[in-house]
Amino acid sequence: MTISQRLEDLREVMRREHLAAFIFPSTDPHQGEYIPDHWKGREFISGFNGSAGTAVVTLDAAALWTDSRYFLAAEEQLKGTGFQLMKLKIEGTPTIAQWLGKEITAHRHPYEDWTEVGIDGWCSSTNKVKALIADLRKENGITLRTNFDPLRQIWTNRPPIPQNPIEIYPMQYAGESCSDKIARIRQALREQHADGMLMAALDDIAWTLNLRGTDVHCNPVFVSYLLISSKSVTLYINKEKLTPEVSAYLKKEGIGVEDYDQVKNGLKKYFEYNILLDPDEVNYALYEVVKNKGKMNDLQKTEIVEEESPVKRMKTVKNETEIAGFRSAMLKDGIALVKFLHWLSGYIGKPEISQLTEISIDEKLTSLRAEQPLYRDISFDTIAGYGAHAAIVHYEATPETDIPLQPKGLLLLDSGAQYLDGTTDITRTIALGPLTEEEKKVYTLVLKGHIQIELCKFPSGASGTQIDILARKDMWREGLNYLHGTGHGVGTYLNVHEGPHQFRMEWKPAPLVAGMTITDEPGIYLASRCGARTENTLLITPYKETEFGKFLQFESLTLCPIDKTPIILDMLSPEEIAWLNDYHQRVFDTLLPYLNEEEQTWLKDACAAI
């Protein structure tokens, strides 16, 4: 079925429901970044498959909003679909509400004088729906309907909700029992003046229960809800997913089990005086269930505490077992990466490199990772972009876009793996032969930004926004910038993107504390020419304590050489050169015992001091 046919079918349903427009976010009922196919409604209706974006369809027009990571990809995917690309954070781009106000007013038909817009309240967070209601009200009194999903009528052969079995995550990797985590959560809830909470984020649930699954591509989580009160804990999940071992484990931990679709009833029967619902995590449909309690005589009213889930920050601070697991995972990943780079070096600068393509090098790297102990999966779809493709921030090669490598220019390779003891995320930009001065300058500016983050010392509790400038200051002097964040948290055999802490230009108040992991990945992207990004995963560790308090620093967990070929040495400061040499010495000393003689020789040269 074509996009045009899907839009036609959707508009027919909209007319029957008297809806002037319908909004399709990129999320699911659990507000995940990566979601099961069942909830990929935005991709179904628009054809755009990026991880972030919102599609909006009126009776006469259609538009899609996405961020800078996907501008080039979205422009290509939306060709011929009838969707207009709206570039977020670019001057002149209207908000969804502004665009709807204009479109609905301009194309209002005498017999279709409707000002109601639809969105599926199950797939939209409470905060986003509340903000949208307020924004739409300003646009000629447009109202929002949240209790209707047109995809149920127009999406034939819709993929089912995943039913994959789940498994226990062993204590030897988790480092803290499920019961101890729940005790900590209850204590945190008391401090927030809440008797209980509904947990909806899948990685929070997996972390809390020490369970893992395979319901979401690359993320070892499972579709469920977790309801915690002062006296009980209930997991809402399709019971077919529970093996006898997992069922026995849950019973031993005192976790009750109910069917996934019974979560509404669970909230109606919730007996405590109040409940914490994180408005960024809990969908609007379930928020409404609790909000409307007490309006019926047979239901006890429950007050809602709208605060951030305490679990978000708990899981970002790794315990000693998790930190040891990260080090082990990074060691394995470093071995696989050096084996890959050594293999690739045999082609660099030679005509034979054209035998390799973006997809084939991805497959080679994945196969080398798969040879490592405890390997489970990739942690996200590899970004292997050669030449102009490297300027597409979240480029993913397909059989239609796959191109051969050439003995010149830059290859950007952003990849990661899920090991049972940790999750990895690394980017290296590799010279495949002669480079232009522009390519060298871009590469060196990115490296300078990366090193400046690595060198930073800062007070405990500082925000990543306060540190982000270090990665950009030298680029800004050249009139260059990038619009994505500079870094994100990383889960422990969980989601590769973990928050709420991050490096980002926009204000993010989440404090940085010892024990957190965070990536360092500045980049520069010149459309249709080239792109460069360098990324390590860092651990935040203590630095020193003075009369001004505790200070922290970053330790690189990633173990992999950074290509020295494209560096313009005169652009690096002595401090930056010293950092690079020290880093390479540690990479060399750590990885050498695990490599064969040829790989050791290559690594020695790759890590030689400059």
Side-chain angles (χ1 to χ4, degrees):
M1 184 188 298
T2 65
I3 300 299
S4 296
Q5 183 61 55
R6 292 172 185 175
L7 289 174
E8 185 178 326
D9 293 347
L10 171 63
R11 285 169 175 145
E12 182 179 340
V13 173
M14 287 164 55
R15 289 188 178 94
R16 288 202 302 265
E17 297 292 328
H18 292 185
L19 289 172
F22 206 89
I23 300 171
F24 297 88
S26 59
T27 51
D28 61 10
H30 306 275
Q31 309 312 306
E33 178 185 8
Y34 300 101
I35 64 177
D37 290 344
H38 177 80
W39 285 294
K40 291 182 178 178
R42 186 220 59 217
E43 180 178 341
F44 169 82
I45 204 66
S46 70
F48 170 65
N49 65 2
S51 67
T54 303
V56 184
V57 180
T58 71
L59 295 171
D60 301 276
L64 183 133
W65 281 255
T66 192
D67 61 50
S68 63
R69 296 173 297 168
Y70 297 109
F71 287 168
L72 296 179
E75 192 170 332
E76 186 65 29
Q77 292 179 6
L78 295 179
K79 283 181 180 177
T81 64
F83 276 87
Q84 177 185 359
L85 175 60
M86 297 291 185
K87 298 180 178 181
L88 287 170
K89 300 180 185 177
I90 298 298
E91 188 175 352
T93 299
T95 66
I96 289 173
Q98 289 168 342
W99 183 80
L100 280 171
K102 182 179 178 181
E103 286 294 324
I104 292 174
T105 301
H107 297 94
R108 186 171 290 167
H109 303 291
Y111 55 92
E112 293 175 345
D113 189 18
W114 309 323
T115 58
E116 188 171 50
V117 171
I119 192 170
D120 183 2
W122 282 96
C123 292
S124 306
S125 75
T126 299
N127 267 348
K128 287 184 178 178
V129 171
K130 284 183 175 182
L132 188 57
I133 289 172
D135 289 343
L136 289 173
R137 190 178 294 126
K138 300 173 187 175
E139 302 295 332
N140 297 322
I142 298 174
T143 58
L144 188 67
R145 178 180 175 184
T146 61
N147 63 350
F148 178 65
D149 177 13
L151 295 175
R152 294 177 181 270
Q153 299 183 36
I154 67 172
W155 193 351
T156 56
N157 301 317
R158 184 175 185 175
I161 296 174
Q163 309 294 352
N164 304 322
I166 60 177
E167 62 182 6
I168 299 168
Y169 191 53
M171 271 290 289
Q172 70 185 93
Y173 305 123
E176 183 181 12
S177 70
C178 166
S179 57
D180 286 346
K181 290 178 179 179
I182 290 173
R184 280 209 290 146
I185 292 168
R186 283 183 169 138
Q187 176 59 38
L189 290 172
R190 286 192 289 271
E191 293 171 3
Q192 292 175 281
H193 307 290
D195 300 317
M197 70 173 292
L198 176 68
M199 204 180 300
L202 302 186
D203 55 334
D204 286 5
I205 297 170
W207 177 86
T208 300
L209 298 179
N210 286 343
L211 296 172
R212 297 294 190 268
T214 58
D215 284 354
V216 180
H217 178 54
C218 298
N219 297 322
V221 297
F222 49 93
V223 175
S224 59
Y225 295 97
L226 191 67
L227 182 59
I228 298 177
S229 73
S230 62
K231 296 181 174 63
S232 65
V233 182
T234 304
L235 176 66
Y236 292 88
I237 190 170
N238 187 314
K239 295 177 183 178
E240 294 179 7
K241 302 165 70 67
L242 306 180
T243 64
E245 182 185 18
V246 171
S247 295
Y249 165 79
L250 289 171
K251 184 176 181 180
K252 177 176 175 292
E253 294 290 340
I255 311 295
V257 178
E258 297 288 346
D259 287 330
Y260 177 71
D261 59 7
Q262 292 300 304
V263 65
K264 283 178 62 175
N265 289 333
L267 288 172
K268 289 178 180 179
K269 295 176 182 176
Y270 177 84
F271 61 90
E272 308 262 20
Y273 174 71
N274 60 35
I275 186 170
L276 186 146
L277 301 179
D278 185 331
D280 289 320
E281 176 182 316
V282 175
N283 63 60
Y284 190 73
L286 292 178
Y287 171 85
E288 285 278 277
V289 171
V290 180
K291 180 183 174 183
N292 291 326
K293 282 183 65 176
K295 293 183 179 179
M296 302 289 290
N297 292 332
D298 59 337
L299 291 178
Q300 174 186 324
K301 181 175 175 60
T302 299
E303 297 293 335
I304 298 175
V305 178
E306 293 189 38
E307 297 288 349
E308 180 183 88
S309 164
V311 182
K312 285 181 180 177
R313 301 189 186 220
M314 284 184 183
K315 76 176 188 300
T316 62
V317 180
K318 315 307 181 193
N319 59 47
E320 290 303 317
T321 300
E322 291 173 317
I323 291 172
F326 263 102
R327 296 190 193 284
S328 174
M330 294 293 175
L331 173 63
K332 293 188 285 282
D333 216 47
I335 294 168
L337 283 157
V338 167
K339 289 179 178 291
F340 168 81
L341 291 172
H342 168 254
W343 168 81
L344 183 63
S345 70
Y347 294 90
I348 288 176
K350 300 176 181 177
E352 290 80 6
I353 200 170
S354 61
Q355 299 170 13
L356 309 180
T357 70
E358 295 165 328
I359 289 179
S360 71
I361 61 169
D362 173 17
E363 292 171 343
K364 177 65 175 182
L365 178 54
T366 300
S367 70
L368 290 169
R369 279 185 164 125
E371 294 175 359
Q372 295 299 313
L374 305 183
Y375 174 83
R376 304 302 294 268
D377 198 357
I378 55 175
S379 58
F380 58 95
D381 288 315
T382 299
I383 300 167
Y386 171 64
H389 284 173
I392 305 173
V393 181
H394 268 210
Y395 171 76
E396 182 185 337
T398 66
E400 292 74 30
T401 66
D402 189 28
I403 58 174
L405 308 186
Q406 300 295 328
K408 62 178 181 178
L410 294 172
L411 167 70
L412 190 156
L413 188 60
D414 188 351
S415 66
Q418 295 284 8
Y419 300 95
L420 199 57
D421 49 0
T423 301
T424 69
D425 185 1
I426 174 177
T427 307
R428 290 294 182 263
T429 305
I430 306 156
L432 300 185
L435 303 176
T436 65
E437 289 304 307
E438 181 179 58
E439 288 169 329
K440 292 177 183 178
K441 183 175 181 179
V442 161
Y443 181 94
T444 308
L445 285 170
V446 168
L447 179 58
K448 285 175 69 66
H450 175 89
I451 294 174
Q452 285 300 316
I453 293 284
E454 296 255 12
L455 288 170
C456 181
K457 309 293 188 286
F458 58 97
S460 179
S463 164
T465 305
Q466 295 166 304
I467 295 172
D468 181 86
I469 177 62
L470 295 175
R472 302 176 191 266
K473 61 184 180 67
D474 290 299
M475 300 178 190
W476 286 358
R477 290 193 182 107
E478 301 294 330
L480 298 169
N481 196 18
Y482 55 98
L483 299 182
H484 61 72
T486 303
H488 56 82
V490 180
T492 302
Y493 184 42
L494 268 176
N495 296 1
V496 72
H497 291 161
E498 185 174 86
H501 66 292
Q502 52 191 290
F503 298 132
R504 183 169 289 277
M505 284 195 298
E506 299 83 7
W507 173 239
K508 295 290 182 181
L512 301 178
V513 300
M516 286 179 168
T517 53
I518 189 167
T519 63
D520 171 15
E521 48 181 312
I524 296 176
Y525 315 94
L526 304 180
S528 304
R529 282 128 70 199
C530 66
R533 184 162 67 247
T534 298
E535 175 189 18
N536 283 355
T537 299
L538 315 178
L539 174 69
I540 302 177
T541 64
Y543 172 53
K544 65 168 65 173
E545 186 168 358
T546 73
E547 60 186 299
F548 296 99
K550 295 180 180 179
F551 285 75
L552 305 175
Q553 61 186 346
F554 297 115
E555 174 196 338
S556 276
L557 294 173
T558 302
L559 297 167
C560 179
I562 295 169
D563 194 351
K564 297 174 295 185
T565 308
I567 298 173
I568 301 174
L569 283 179
D570 291 344
M571 290 177 59
L572 295 186
S573 69
E575 185 182 37
E576 290 165 347
I577 292 173
W579 179 89
L580 185 61
N581 288 339
D582 289 344
Y583 174 71
H584 276 153
Q585 187 63 53
R586 184 160 65 88
V587 169
F588 178 77
D589 292 340
T590 306
L591 297 183
L592 191 69
Y594 302 93
L595 306 172
N596 64 34
E597 187 174 347
E598 286 188 3
E599 292 160 349
Q600 288 179 339
T601 301
W602 179 88
L603 184 65
K604 183 177 181 181
D605 180 65
C607 293
I610 59 173

